Amino acid sequence: MYAVTTLEAHQAAPSDIARFVRRHWGIENRSHLVSDTTFAEDASRLRTGNAPRAMASFRNLAIGALRLAGVTNLAKATRHNARDHTRPLPFIGITT
C-alpha cells in the first residue's frame, strides 16, 4: 500500500488517487471525528508526558469495544455507560 505522495505519475490513475483519498477520509470520519465529537479530544488539555497517548488509547478502546458490541450511536452509549461504573465492564469481557 502506497501513500498518494509516494507514487510516481505513471503509477496511479485518477481513479486510484480518488480511492486513496476516499480511504483517508473514511479513516478520518470513522476514527478521528468520533474521538473529537464523542470525547472532545481536540479540547483535551493533556499535553505532557504519556498522558495524551494513554487517553487516546482509552478512547480508542472504548470506541472499539462499543463497535464490537454492535453499538451504532457511540455518543448515546457513552452517556448511558458513564452513569454506572459497572455497565461498561461486559464490553471488555469482564462479567460480575
Side-chain angles (χ1 to χ4, degrees):
M1 172 87 166
Y2 296 98
V4 174
T5 57
T6 63
L7 296 175
E8 298 291 329
H10 67 277
Q11 292 178 304
S15 61
D16 295 327
I17 294 172
R19 188 174 64 252
F20 292 144
V21 170
R22 281 192 304 275
R23 188 177 297 149
H24 165 78
W25 283 107
I27 293 168
E28 178 70 26
N29 290 335
R30 188 156 167 81
S31 179
H32 305 295
L33 181 66
V34 171
S35 293
D36 190 36
T37 56
T38 304
F39 296 108
E41 187 173 52
D42 288 348
S44 174
R45 298 183 57 110
L46 297 173
R47 303 273 190 264
T48 60
N50 292 323
R53 185 177 302 159
M55 286 306 299
S57 296
F58 289 133
R59 290 181 195 110
N60 290 334
L61 172 67
I63 291 167
L66 290 170
R67 283 199 173 128
L68 283 173
V71 170
T72 55
N73 188 333
L74 295 174
K76 181 179 177 182
T78 301
R79 287 189 303 271
H80 174 75
N81 287 309
R83 293 186 184 113
D84 179 359
H85 71 279
T86 61
R87 286 182 185 160
L89 298 178
F91 288 107
I92 56 174
I94 300 173
T95 57
T96 56

